[in-house]
Amino acid sequence: MRPFGIMNPAVARKIRPARRIAGTISLPGDKSISHRYAMLAALAEGSSVFTNYSTGADCASTLACLRGLGVECSHRGTTVRIRGMGAAGLQAPQVPLDAGNSGTTIRLLSGILAGQPFVSAIRGDESLSNRPMQRIITPLRSMGASVDARDGQFPPLTIRGGRLHPIRYELPVASAQVKSCVLLAGLSAPGATQVLELLETRNHTEIALRRFGAKVHVDEREITVRGPSRLEACDLRIPSDLSSAVFFLAAALLLPGSDLRIEGVGLNPTRTAVLDVLRKMGAAVRIETQSDPGGEPVGSISVRGAGPLAGGEISGAATAGVIDEIPMLAVLGAVSESGLRIRDAGELRVKETDRIATVTSNLRRMGASIVEYETGMDIEGGCRLKGAELDSCGDHRIAMAFAVAGLAAEGESGLSGAEAASVSFPEFYDVLSTVARD
Ligand code: S3P
């Protein structure tokens, strides 16, 4: 595992324009799936081995938290072995668990901690310490856990778990993290815990629960898990992360004459809405689904950069489906013919940074015109991006989106906080330099 800081954070990384993107690449494992497999493996009977585990700091935070609960996790390259402790085997942590920058770690693990007969504290870095936790505190309390939070809603959280009872919970926000938190708590609540989601969110937890042998049933938007569930260890390969792939697809689309193929990518339909958006913008994206190991479809994506993209609108249910990709789509929107309207995206304000603000300020520095709203943005099209002093503000997706924007700009850019990419993708700049041609 590479260390978090791959460069001196005080020095802005230089991003030089590229002419085109070309090559065939494969990418590290999906972050969402890595977190879930690791957590379920910890609760299972027997040892699980995962190949192509995410190399990001976030998924390392999940392993560190599991070690804090007494779970043996060994990490060799991208292969992770986890010795399951069984449903009742986790141990009370001696010190607060540290979720780092990872919202998925704190929100999902809190569901597991709520079912444990001990007290645990879980904290995070400065960004995570300012992200809303009320959304998980409310359902966990109604299942019978005691949860204390700073100012009633922020990490650190102190969770006194124990005897939970099942609930039926309608998600007030479209959030896979909240859905998963409740389902994981439901593993230790005797009876049927049900989550009703009005808008579809990524379903990796449902798939993983089934894979590990939990009693789970999905009926359209209603997911039921029956506790107590006995989980069985399994060995699985984790598909490459589609959300990471999108930065490379976008780079190819921004640079005419590009020709890029990405192999072994996770193509779970609850994640592929971004490919539909790209196609609607006129992108030539070709997908070949090759296999479906353990219910997670995997395949390759090919893209050619063929000239100007049309603009479009992302709103309503569609926004939730591409929420992680909006920073990158916003950059494409600025160079598109008619611009991009983004609506119903208030969730962007509570991600690793306020992404409406961090996208807007960076794009403006590159010469784009944007109107910022509380829950969206109007990004004017037709912009020729100019090299600029950019800032990730410590947000991995902002770092990667604007590194790509810099490739397609006129003139050199400086990217402060470029090293934040390590949160999800430490090899990002190395891989980018293997496909960027000048
Ligand atoms: C994730 C769910 C999404 C996403 C995040 C990862 C997950 O968050 O933005 O990057 O792994 O469940 P929300 O569920 O809060 O929307």
Side-chain angles (χ1 to χ4, degrees):
M1 179 87 207
R2 296 171 70 147
F4 177 79
I6 53 168
M7 56 183 286
N8 179 354
V11 178
R13 185 178 188 106
K14 294 233 176 306
I15 310 285
R16 293 192 185 87
R19 204 166 38 82
R20 64 186 205 107
I21 298 290
T24 298
I25 52 175
S26 51
L27 301 172
D30 186 271
K31 212 153 68 87
S32 293
I33 298 175
S34 297
H35 288 295
R36 285 155 171 83
Y37 284 179
M39 290 185 202
L40 292 179
L43 297 173
E45 310 279 340
S47 289
S48 298
V49 177
F50 307 127
T51 49
N52 204 36
Y53 189 83
S54 164
T55 51
D58 272 5
C59 293
S61 293
T62 286
L63 296 181
C65 289
L66 294 175
R67 289 189 188 104
L69 293 163
V71 182
E72 231 177 76
C73 309
S74 61
H75 208 164
R76 252 187 169 212
T78 60
T79 299
V80 167
R81 175 185 292 273
I82 296 178
R83 201 153 76 92
M85 309 288 280
L90 298 182
Q91 294 159 15
Q94 301 301 305
V95 292
L97 303 171
D98 187 357
N101 191 244
S102 173
T104 307
T105 305
I106 196 168
R107 294 200 178 108
L108 269 60
L109 202 54
S110 293
I112 292 176
L113 296 174
Q116 304 301 313
F118 50 71
V119 182
S120 40
I122 183 162
R123 61 182 167 86
D125 70 4
E126 194 187 335
S127 154
L128 190 59
S129 301
N130 288 295
R131 294 182 64 189
M133 295 298 142
Q134 198 62 53
R135 53 184 65 191
I136 58 162
I137 295 172
T138 301
L140 292 179
R141 280 189 185 146
S142 65
M143 294 179 85
S146 147
V147 187
D148 293 326
R150 180 178 63 81
D151 294 339
Q153 56 173 330
F154 299 114
L157 305 178
T158 303
I159 301 174
R160 288 172 185 80
R163 288 163 204 255
L164 299 184
H165 48 80
I167 55 169
R168 179 179 160 79
Y169 192 64
E170 189 176 311
L171 291 178
V173 276
S175 167
Q177 293 178 349
V178 179
K179 169 176 70 175
S180 304
C181 171
V182 177
L183 294 174
L184 292 172
L187 286 176
S188 46
T193 293
Q194 293 187 310
V195 181
L196 187 68
E197 59 176 359
L198 302 178
L199 293 179
E200 183 180 65
T201 65
R202 61 192 71 193
N203 66 356
H204 304 300
T205 301
E206 295 89 309
I207 292 171
L209 281 168
R210 197 170 294 128
R211 202 71 186 74
F212 281 80
K215 289 168 257 171
V216 62
H217 178 74
V218 180
D219 185 5
E220 296 198 354
R221 299 269 92 78
E222 186 182 86
I223 306 116
T224 305
V225 65
R226 285 191 175 273
S229 260
R230 187 177 182 278
L231 305 184
E232 297 280 354
C234 39
D235 296 345
L236 294 163
R237 178 171 177 83
I238 296 170
S240 297
D241 198 321
L242 176 58
S243 299
S244 299
V246 165
F247 297 107
F248 295 89
L249 300 178
L253 291 170
L254 284 166
L255 297 169
S258 294
D259 190 357
L260 179 73
R261 180 179 164 90
I262 311 179
E263 294 183 329
V265 186
L267 292 172
N268 178 318
T270 62
R271 293 283 294 281
T272 52
V274 63
L275 301 177
D276 301 331
V277 171
L278 292 177
R279 282 198 179 116
K280 274 204 193 127
M281 291 177 84
V285 180
R286 229 186 59 227
I287 297 167
E288 289 163 55
T289 304
Q290 277 129 9
S291 61
D292 188 0
E296 290 286 359
V298 179
S300 65
I301 309 176
S302 308
V303 74
R304 282 172 191 272
L309 293 169
E313 175 167 318
I314 303 171
S315 60
T319 305
V322 295
I323 199 78
D324 286 344
E325 288 79 39
I326 286 179
M328 193 68 262
L329 292 171
V331 174
L332 295 181
V335 300
S336 69
E337 283 174 331
S338 59
L340 190 62
R341 280 159 59 88
I342 298 171
R343 293 287 181 275
D344 309 305
E347 276 296 298
L348 289 178
R349 299 250 182 227
V350 292
K351 292 293 182 187
E352 286 81 334
T353 55
D354 171 346
R355 287 184 178 154
I356 293 182
T358 48
V359 164
T360 299
S361 72
N362 281 300
L363 266 181
R364 281 187 182 148
R365 289 178 204 184
M366 301 188 87
S369 296
I370 307 177
V371 183
E372 180 182 345
Y373 302 102
E374 193 43 41
T375 61
M377 291 173 263
D378 280 348
I379 303 159
E380 209 173 280
C383 177
R384 288 177 74 108
L385 297 173
K386 293 192 305 259
E389 286 311 309
L390 305 166
D391 190 350
S392 78
C393 302
D395 183 330
H396 58 123
R397 294 194 203 280
I398 299 296
M400 294 187 277
F402 283 91
V404 168
L407 288 186
E410 275 173 16
E412 194 173 276
S413 297
L415 177 59
S416 299
E419 72 284 355
S422 292
V423 159
S424 58
F425 192 175
E427 310 83 347
F428 173 73
Y429 300 102
D430 293 343
V431 179
L432 197 57
S433 67
T434 65
V435 291
R437 311 268 185 258
D438 34 52

